Amino acid sequence: MSRVIAVANQKGGVGKTTTTINLGVGLARLGQRVLLVDSDPQGHLTLGLGFPKNLRVTLKNMMENIIMGIEFDPREAVLHHKEGVDIVPSNKLLTGMDMSLITVEDREKVLREYLNLLANDYDYIIIDCMPSLGMLTINAMSAADSVLIPVQPQYYAADGLTELLKVVNATKKRYNPQIEIEGILFTMDASRYNNSKRNKNAVKSAYGAKVNIFEDAIPRTEAIAEIASEGISIFQYDKRSKGAESYEKLAQEVLSHAKAQ
C-alpha cells in the first residue's frame, strides 16, 4: 500500500505545487513509485509538469465515476511524466466538484475511494490541494496519511496555521483517525534577512513543540521560480542548484520518516 501525503495550506502562493512536483520527483529519484494528484481546479500541477489544460479525462471524471457507482478503469486518467512520476491531472472543470459533493453520501471519502484503487501501484501518492479548506481539501485530508504544510516565512504565518491545524484535527476526529502532520516546510526562504529569521522563529515558537518542522528550508531562488513554465522539476532544470539540494534533502527526510514508523 502507498503512503498518501496531502500538501495543503489555505493560503495561496506558498509553494504547494512547486513542493508537490519536486518532492515527488525527489522521491522517484530515490527509487520510489510516485503518483501526483492535482486536486486544484487551477490545474497548476498539471501545467507545471507540461501537460495541457484541455485534457479529456481528469480527476473530475474519476471522482464522478465513484459518486455514480460506475465501473471504470482507475488508470484512465493517469499520465506519465518523463522524470519518472505519474500524475492524475485537473483543470477548471473540477471547480464544481465542491458543490457536487455536498449532496453525496460519505462525501468526504470520494477521493480516498478513488486513490485506494491505485494504492498498490505506488509507494507514494502526493496530493496538491487547492488554496482553500473546502470539500476538495477535506477529501484530500480524509485520504491522506499525513499533511505537509508549506509556509512562506512572512508576518502572520504563525497565525495562518491555526485554522489549517484545526481542520486537520477535525478531520482526524471525524473521518481519518490515522492522519498526522508530516511537517511544516518553510518555502521561498530568504534566510539572510532578519525578517525571515524572525518569522520562522515565531512559527517554531508557536508550533515546534507539537508539530515536526523540517530541518531544511526551501530557499527563494531564480531557478525554482523559473521551472513553473518549463514543465520539469528543479532536478531536471538545474540539479546543482540550492533548490535541488533542498528538495533532495526534503525527499530523504520524508522517506526516513516513513521508514521510522
Side-chain angles (χ1 to χ4, degrees):
M1 291 290 286
S2 57
R3 180 168 179 81
V4 182
I5 300 174
V7 180
N9 191 325
Q10 76 273 27
K11 183 175 173 57
V14 296
K16 289 188 296 293
T17 299
T18 300
T19 294
T20 302
I21 290 172
N22 292 294
L23 172 59
V25 173
L27 287 168
R29 287 164 57 88
L30 294 172
Q32 303 301 296
R33 301 170 300 162
V34 179
L35 175 69
L36 307 180
V37 179
D38 192 343
S39 184
D40 185 349
Q42 295 178 98
H44 288 169
L45 176 65
T46 303
L47 296 173
L49 286 171
F51 295 103
K53 293 181 179 180
N54 58 345
L55 292 165
R56 185 180 62 85
V57 183
T58 65
L59 179 62
K60 173 181 180 287
N61 304 100
M62 302 295 98
M63 293 182 72
E64 286 178 337
N65 289 340
I66 293 291
I67 291 168
M68 294 185 288
I70 296 172
E71 288 191 20
F72 68 104
D73 178 4
R75 295 199 64 83
E76 186 181 2
V78 177
L79 304 172
H80 185 70
H81 189 268
K82 61 185 178 182
E83 293 186 66
V85 296
D86 287 351
I87 174 175
V88 175
S90 287
N91 54 33
K92 63 182 180 181
L93 295 177
L94 188 65
T95 303
M97 184 56 66
D98 255 12
M99 292 298 296
S100 299
L101 286 167
I102 291 174
T103 59
V104 175
E105 186 177 357
D106 289 333
R107 55 186 176 269
E108 302 86 4
K109 302 175 183 177
V110 174
L111 181 57
R112 181 199 300 180
E113 191 171 340
Y114 171 55
L115 296 182
N116 282 344
L117 300 175
L118 298 168
N120 289 331
D121 296 336
Y122 299 99
D123 300 304
Y124 283 89
I125 297 176
I126 307 176
I127 308 169
D128 184 25
C129 297
M130 64 189 300
S132 82
L133 296 175
M135 190 52 63
L136 281 169
T137 300
I138 298 298
N139 260 256
M141 291 186 183
S142 295
D145 296 296
S146 63
V147 181
L148 190 154
I149 307 171
V151 174
Q152 190 174 354
Q154 294 181 330
Y155 193 58
Y156 294 134
D159 291 339
L161 284 167
T162 302
E163 186 179 357
L164 176 59
L165 293 173
K166 284 181 179 177
V167 171
V168 175
N169 288 332
T171 302
K172 187 179 184 71
K173 290 178 181 178
R174 298 181 64 183
Y175 313 122
N176 183 6
Q178 282 74 44
I179 195 171
E180 61 181 36
I181 303 296
E182 187 75 32
I184 294 171
L185 174 70
F186 292 116
T187 58
M188 305 180 202
D189 180 34
S191 58
R192 65 186 180 277
Y193 295 116
N194 289 333
N195 187 53
S196 180
K197 293 177 183 177
R198 183 165 53 248
N199 294 330
K200 284 194 293 185
N201 286 334
V203 171
K204 290 176 181 177
S205 295
Y207 301 106
K210 298 179 181 179
V211 177
N212 174 51
I213 297 178
F214 286 102
E215 191 172 326
D216 291 284
I218 307 301
R220 181 187 293 276
T221 69
E222 192 77 13
I224 291 177
E226 289 171 352
I227 60 172
S229 60
E230 299 296 326
I232 55 177
S233 77
I234 188 63
F235 301 102
Q236 183 78 16
Y237 187 77
D238 186 356
K239 64 181 180 181
R240 294 183 176 86
S241 67
K242 290 183 178 178
E245 180 183 350
S246 297
Y247 275 115
E248 183 177 23
K249 289 179 179 178
L250 174 65
Q252 290 170 341
E253 191 169 344
V254 167
L255 190 58
S256 297
H257 182 201
K259 288 180 177 178
Q261 292 183 324

